[in-house]
Amino acid sequence: MARGKLRIYIGAAPGVGKTYSMLSEAHRRIERGTDCVVGFVEHHSRPRTEVMLHGLEEIPRREIEYRGSVFTEMDVDAVLQRRPKVALVDELAHTNVPGSRNTKRWQDVEELLAAGIDVISAVNIQHLESLGDVVESITGIRQQETVPDEVVRRADQVELVDMSPQALRRRMAHGNIYKPDKLDAALSNYFRPGNLTALRELALLWVADRVDEYLQEYRSEHQVSKIWGSRERIVVGLTGGREGSTLIRRAARLAEKGAGGEVLAVYVSRSDGLTSASPKQLAFQRTLVEDVGGSFHHVVGDDVPQSLLDFARGVNATQIVLGTSRRKAWQYLFGPGVGATVAVDSGPDLDVHIVTHEEAAKGRGLPAGRRARLGRARTVWGWLAGVVGPALLTLLLTTINTDLGLANEMLLYLSLTVTAALLGGFLPAVASALVGSVLINWYFTPPVHELTIADPKNIVAMVVFVLVALSVASVVDLAARRTHQAARLRAESEILSFLAGSVLRGETSLDSLLERVRETFVMESVAMLERASEVEPWTCTGSVGPAPASRPEDADVDMPVGDRMALALSGRILPAEDRRVLGAFAAQAAVVLDRQRLQEQADRARVYAEGDRIRTALLAAVSHDLRTPLASIKASVTSLRSDDVEWSDDDEAELLAGIEVGADRLAHLIGNLLDMSRLQTGTVTPLIREIDLDEVIPMALGGVPEDSVVLDIPEDLPMVAVDPGLLERAVANVVENAVKYSPDGERVLVSASAIADRVEVRVADQGPGVPDQAKDRIFAPFQRYGDAPRGAGVGLGLAVARGFTEAMGGTLTAEDTPGGGMTMVLTLRPGPGHEPVVPEVPASATS
């Protein structure tokens, strides 16, 4: 059975028209004769969306009872049984009610697709799992309902439903999205122009990347090698020289001239790992290209021009930026150079820019050595085997005076040549071949003791001997070099793999990284040095080991990182090939140091911002919420003391009652401020003892009208281990908040129950409720729902209640009330003698 196709409408925010577009597409398909049904579509009482449901077949929803309320979800079995060609399933990131077939709605969609049913769905950009942190930093709201990115990426079609922030806000103002009572709060919070603009950019970029993936897949499937200039991609070829900065900046200016331009810097290193590039310059250029919004790439290839062109065509680049050759005039005898070769082979679809710079024609320096370092001891033994070995073999053969034959004698000398190649490399082997050929000619080829050869056959034998000796020496030396290089590269790859793994794991300790450097390179000490400018002294920002160097000049090895940082190692001199790996460690150490400082600055800024926010909110409270009851008290006292008016007994009683109400209100506000101050300074010390809830909770209801609360506290509840005073204050604040937001005529239910190893006190109201993403935020200090307070208060009640509850070892959380509203749940610890209550589980639940 063929898998169904998935089409997803994605938008930046609710209300842009995703569901409307889904329904419009359904009508178009029905007009073409396609069997299309509505699996689940929520119109949210939006008139225009509701009208679009007319004429569409809707699969009846499945009813699920949960916590005393009945909810409806998509009936997957009914859709599978109906088996339409296309099913509409809205809100892809939705979490199903417990008891549903699947936990998430996207899992329901996967079942329909597996059954061969095409699905049309919709999702907002903020519900993608990978963007959760980004969306939270923009909006301040953490999305609880998410869908894995891979689910959306696997969709056969992804269509963006776009709308400008201004148009979306106008649509909201016209009442097309939310009801009027929620309009002001939405426009001033989540739907602010800045939030909508940022979310719109996220949506556009995500869809653009997905389109780019589609394009790359198409080019790969159809083997399209020709470059399609859908947008400017500029590849910068770097050599590790100082001219790289000029090339990167020039490429950035070229990218700015076209919409959506992208800069990709690439450095090509040879496969043998030998390079003359400066690690310091490469590290600086990597940082520079990332600062201009580009990306850095490292490519391995022995043919540099071809590797550059392959990379450019692989990323669908439109331009290549290269620097003018640093060769001197005589060096062009060895070839035309990278720039000229790339320009000739680039073809008509790839532009090549040759940029002049200050390093042009100054020479490239001597090429890097091609021979692997074998160590002094092996080199000496190689020369001894190549030069002294043939002499000793000649002495042995002439002393024994045995006629082995010219062929056998040549094989003996050839074995010495192979030995010299294994020990010392190519040059000792060449010396062995030359010395051996001379000795054979002098001692064993007639006429002996003369450098002449009488028999032409012996001439051929000598020539073959020299050629075979040189060939074998070359092959053996190459194999030895490759083996040595493979071992080094494997060790380097393991080290770099560990370094990359530490970055992915988020390890940010500078000391642990420096200790790893010390262990890797067998050093006595390692220090990270830094200075403010070139004339300032060096300071040590981190070190491991005894007596670390205080200056780069004092260290055995120093690796610069930029202009003002250096990694100083003491203990031994490192060979040149080790500096490449050391450069990676040095660059990572600089990143770790910068990250630590940024984190410290962010922590300090967060503390300062929180302090400023609390001070600002406190000033606002003092200037408004505290002055209001003071003004009422002042007015009543002034009226009573007035000699111009003779007040009746009822009037005096009313004014005195107003003074009492204002004083109580003022005392409550000041009490909350003082309690919050105690929590902020950590001076709350609970005195825990066992007590019955029915002794505390009734006392907490003194601040609310008698007919506004229904109390349900069973007599058989176990005692709880709490501080009675703190619990009373916590319950009082929660109940007062619930009464404040309850509709007129609706009473708040305060109930308690024992569940397993805890006791819960639940305060349920029938008010407007709070969205899931805002439930944690209402417990922050100076927060009031919708920034539209009803009655008095500075937004501290729930913050104080949670602080007191947690100080006693309990928790305070918010849940939705079935049928609408919000329920506050205080979880408390029972007394030590309480046995856990085992809930009864229906037999059907375990069968």
Side-chain angles (χ1 to χ4, degrees), residues 320-351:
I320 296 180
V321 174
L322 300 173
T324 305
S325 178
R326 292 180 296 169
R327 292 181 171 190
K328 293 183 179 296
W330 61 270
Q331 290 178 318
Y332 282 98
L333 296 174
F334 299 102
V338 174
T341 305
V342 170
V344 171
D345 297 341
S346 61
D349 54 352
L350 189 58
D351 297 335

Side-chain angles (χ1 to χ4, degrees), residues 678 684-687 723-731 804-805 807-808:
R678 292 167 59 200
V684 176
T685 304
L687 301 176
D723 183 316
L726 297 184
L727 178 59
E728 180 184 344
R729 293 285 296 161
V731 174
F804 283 171
T805 304
M808 296 183 293

Side-chain angles (χ1 to χ4, degrees), residues 385-387 390 413-414 416-418 420 427-437 465:
V387 177
Y413 283 96
L414 183 61
L416 290 177
T417 302
V418 173
L427 292 181
V430 172
S432 176
L434 295 177
V435 172
S437 63
F465 167 77

Side-chain angles (χ1 to χ4, degrees), residues 406 409-410 436-462:
L406 183 61
E409 292 166 347
M410 287 184 175
S437 63
V438 171
L439 292 176
I440 292 173
N441 186 11
W442 182 266
Y443 287 100
F444 304 105
T445 305
V448 296
H449 304 303
E450 293 184 12
L451 295 177
T452 58
I453 301 176
D455 191 350
K457 295 181 180 180
N458 291 337
I459 296 176
V460 175
M462 288 297 298

Side-chain angles (χ1 to χ4, degrees), residues 98-120:
S100 301
R101 183 189 186 96
N102 295 302
T103 304
K104 304 287 288 188
R105 183 162 294 163
W106 64 265
Q107 296 170 330
D108 296 338
V109 170
E110 287 293 321
E111 283 198 41
L112 299 182
L113 294 173
I117 300 174
D118 295 346
V119 176
I120 303 177

